[in-house]
Amino acid sequence: MEYAQLTPGRRFAPLHSLLYYSQRIVTRPALRRLVIRALSGAVRGRQGSGQDLYGNSALEMGALADLSASGYAPLGNLLSAAQCDEIRAHLQDKRLIDRDRVREAFTVTQVPAGVRVADYHLRDVVDCPHILALANSPPLLGLAARYMDCKPTISALGLRWSFPVEGHRSALQAFHRDSEDWRYLKVLVYLTDVDVDAGPHVYLSGSHLTRAPMRLRFYSDTEISSAYGSEKLLTALGSRGFCFAVDTAGIHKGTAPARHPRLMLQIQYSLLPSYAYRYSPEVYQGPLVLDPYVNRLIVKPRG
């Protein structure tokens, strides 16, 4: 996903900046809840309640309870090992973009030295098998609809490699909070096996309910452990295909891989578009019948 220019400059997007920072400056949880209630009501008025997306599975309801209470909900292996292998095979010759934007695009078989984090282009994500089907599956759309209390929007969809590199970590690999929208959740899917040496996601339980600072910053491991205790940290480990939902308004990090690279899918569901991004939907030519509202920022119909 391409980021919008939120500060004055050549490609400054003033409306994006206004809408993005309007939700950043409201830090009191009680006031944010009031705004969220009003916005979700407005979406329901225009797009319906989203109840048509609801399921009644124990997975969906249990995940909603976990997500609301702790900010983290394990969902199990929603992709099979074979499906993960098909995804990786499809991506084998696709170009990766260095997150730091300092190297030319490359494939996963030719990763330059020093690359820590790299992403695939949205075009290749949309064309990849199983990705859109999972993002639009009843358990995930139902969970998102219940969490937003209205029909959700898929506001980000990405595939990212993290590679073992000695030295300083990427900013994404230090504890931080996200600020994507008034209300949102991310479903993260491991497409490679992830143990403690392969960069697992770590989440501070309950931190999504605490007040975030207006100016977001990074936190050291020592700072988090000293302030909250290591027992509050939830580490997501799992074989390829393992999925979990997180509210990344809470404090979290993707650990820097120590020995094994990690490929991860990120699906973001939100109340509104995330105005930190400049959207350019890709044409979808597959067989799935996709809800046009839910998918409008990611794909557009043929013709």
Side-chain angles (χ1 to χ4, degrees), residues 77-91 128-131 134 159 161 189-193 239-243 263 265:
N77 287 54
L78 298 185
L79 290 177
S80 68
Q83 287 174 318
C84 293
D85 293 343
E86 288 175 23
I87 291 170
R88 289 185 60 184
H90 177 84
L91 296 171
C128 198
H130 311 302
I131 301 297
L134 178 63
L159 285 163
W161 277 103
V189 187
Y190 292 154
L191 300 173
T192 51
D193 297 334
S239 59
R240 60 191 187 279
F242 177 67
C243 306
L263 176 60
L265 166 66

Side-chain angles (χ1 to χ4, degrees), residues 97-114:
I97 303 168
D98 178 13
R99 183 76 179 189
D100 295 326
R101 307 270 180 176
V102 297
R103 298 169 181 84
E104 295 294 327
F106 52 90
T107 67
V108 72
T109 59
Q110 298 174 321
V111 181

Side-chain angles (χ1 to χ4, degrees), residues 83-199:
Q83 287 174 318
C84 293
D85 293 343
E86 288 175 23
I87 291 170
R88 289 185 60 184
H90 177 84
L91 296 171
Q92 194 75 0
D93 62 347
K94 304 302 185 291
R95 308 295 280 179
L96 281 159
I97 303 168
D98 178 13
R99 183 76 179 189
D100 295 326
R101 307 270 180 176
V102 297
R103 298 169 181 84
E104 295 294 327
F106 52 90
T107 67
V108 72
T109 59
Q110 298 174 321
V111 181
V115 172
R116 294 183 177 280
V117 180
D119 300 288
Y120 289 101
H121 191 277
L122 180 61
R123 170 76 269 152
D124 295 321
V125 178
V126 167
D127 286 343
C128 198
H130 311 302
I131 301 297
L132 283 176
L134 178 63
N136 287 273
S137 64
L140 297 190
L141 282 185
L143 173 62
R146 291 179 187 275
Y147 201 63
M148 304 305 143
D149 196 23
C150 63
K151 182 173 280 194
T153 289
I154 299 177
S155 56
L157 188 69
L159 285 163
R160 173 176 296 159
W161 277 103
S162 298
F163 301 103
V165 177
E166 293 184 3
H168 297 295
R169 298 174 298 191
S170 162
L172 295 169
Q173 296 166 340
F175 280 112
H176 62 283
R177 295 178 186 264
D178 294 341
S179 185
E180 301 284 351
D181 185 30
W182 289 96
R183 189 165 178 81
Y184 60 98
L185 67 89
K186 295 182 180 180
V187 172
L188 305 179
V189 187
Y190 292 154
L191 300 173
T192 51
D193 297 334
V194 175
D195 58 15
V196 294
D197 292 323

Side-chain angles (χ1 to χ4, degrees), residues 27-49:
T27 60
R28 293 180 57 188
L31 183 54
R32 286 188 69 89
R33 287 194 293 270
L34 287 175
V35 176
I36 290 166
R37 193 174 302 144
L39 289 174
S40 62
V43 174
R44 287 196 304 273
R46 293 176 65 88
Q47 300 296 330
S49 66

